[in-house]
Amino acid sequence: MKLLTLESSSVSASVCVTEDTRLLAQSFQNCGMTHSATLLPMIDHVMTASRLTMDDIDAVACVTGPGSFTGIRIGVATAKGIADGKNLPCIGVSSMAGNAWNVGPLTDRLICPVMDARRSQLYNALFLFSDGTLHRLTPDRLIQMEDLKKELISYEKSVILVGDGAQMCYNNFTVSSDLDCITAPPGLIYPCAHGAAMEAHRLAQEGQLVSAAQLMPSYLRQPQAVRERLAREAGQTAQSTKKE
């Protein structure tokens, strides 16, 4: 299966083309430009580099979250547009699983992808890699840093942190000696399309393909604009009730 994979859930953005598990071409940027400006040129670059056209692609994979709301929307919208135009199936990939694949084949440590979710929270999930595949231990979730630290200590296992929140967590976790943890190497710490493509390949083998219309973001919490609107509506309701 030839797969075009998009990863735009974080501050970085990445696109790759794979044939089964073999990487044909990948483009990665972490230069501060918006994903709306970088994603399409990167798609064009990897397609040209791999000497393929969209007619050669069998499916489009996209990281659907959790992560940056704007980045996820851009990635999902781009994947849906390509897939719908070419009548291709889609594969939605967890950003946590994609991140875990970056380091999975290289370690027997507990794999801990972390992404800063703001509001004193982290996006996180836990994995182990064995027998050539990634094994999920927790669902994707929102968690407080101190709660995650306590959970990791309870596993009594060495930990590797990966993701754009890895250094922040490492600085916090290593204040005490209760937890043996390291960060992923610099070249593997950020989300990349190839990691997501490896997870997409696993999902495709399980038959977890959807139509372009069925590909949807997975935010884990409501966008800020929605939260603010609900807060305003709750305040207005409270004032109205008080007057009555």
Side-chain angles (χ1 to χ4, degrees):
M1 171 181 278
K2 291 186 178 69
L3 194 62
L4 173 66
T5 302
L6 316 182
E7 162 52 270
S8 60
S9 66
S10 183
V11 293
S12 59
S14 180
V15 176
C16 78
V17 176
T18 51
E19 184 171 9
D20 297 326
T21 59
R22 184 167 69 97
L23 179 64
L24 300 181
Q26 180 169 236
S27 182
F28 174 92
Q29 291 196 30
N30 186 23
C31 57
M33 293 179 66
T34 62
H35 298 335
S36 58
T38 60
L39 212 54
L40 288 175
M42 285 195 290
I43 292 171
D44 183 62
H45 172 73
V46 297
M47 294 301 295
T48 300
S50 58
R51 298 180 181 179
L52 297 174
T53 70
M54 288 307 305
D55 292 333
D56 299 309
I57 297 299
D58 298 304
V60 180
C62 177
V63 169
T64 55
S68 160
F69 289 8
T70 301
I72 291 167
R73 282 195 294 269
I74 291 169
V76 170
T78 303
K80 287 167 76 78
I82 294 171
D84 188 54
K86 287 294 183 178
N87 196 28
L88 294 172
C90 295
I91 307 169
V93 178
S94 155
S95 60
M96 299 293 104
N99 242 195
W101 270 104
N102 282 13
V103 296
L106 307 176
T107 186
D108 60 357
R109 287 175 175 257
L110 181 64
I111 304 168
C112 181
V114 279
M115 191 180 294
D116 187 2
R118 312 298 181 188
R119 299 165 64 90
S120 302
Q121 293 179 311
L122 301 165
Y123 294 121
N124 166 255
L126 299 177
F127 302 85
L128 283 172
F129 190 89
S130 64
D131 302 321
T133 194
L134 199 63
H135 301 277
R136 180 182 283 274
L137 304 181
T138 72
D140 292 351
R141 59 197 178 169
L142 280 164
I143 190 170
Q144 299 286 335
M145 188 179 298
E146 285 306 310
D147 291 337
L148 176 59
K149 182 179 180 179
K150 291 175 184 176
E151 183 178 359
L152 293 175
I153 291 172
S154 73
Y155 274 91
E156 298 182 345
K157 189 172 177 63
S158 299
V159 175
I160 184 167
L161 300 165
V162 62
D164 66 13
Q167 190 63 52
M168 175 179 64
C169 288
Y170 176 82
N171 293 342
N172 177 280
F173 294 168
T174 54
V175 170
S176 67
S177 58
D178 296 330
L179 183 61
D180 171 23
C181 72
I182 61 173
T183 62
L188 300 175
I189 201 165
Y190 285 103
C192 75
H194 186 223
M198 294 298 291
E199 176 68 2
H201 175 72
R202 185 189 69 79
L203 294 172
Q205 288 184 315
E206 296 178 356
Q208 297 191 43
L209 291 90
V210 299
S211 68
Q214 293 170 320
L215 184 71
M216 299 298 288
S218 175
Y219 295 130
L220 292 192
R221 71 180 181 201
Q222 294 170 322
Q224 182 176 348
V226 175
R227 296 196 304 269
E228 291 176 350
R229 176 176 59 79
L230 292 175
R232 287 196 303 271
E233 291 175 353
Q236 292 167 358
T237 301
Q239 288 180 355
S240 176
T241 302
K242 187 175 180 179
K243 289 178 181 178
E244 292 174 359

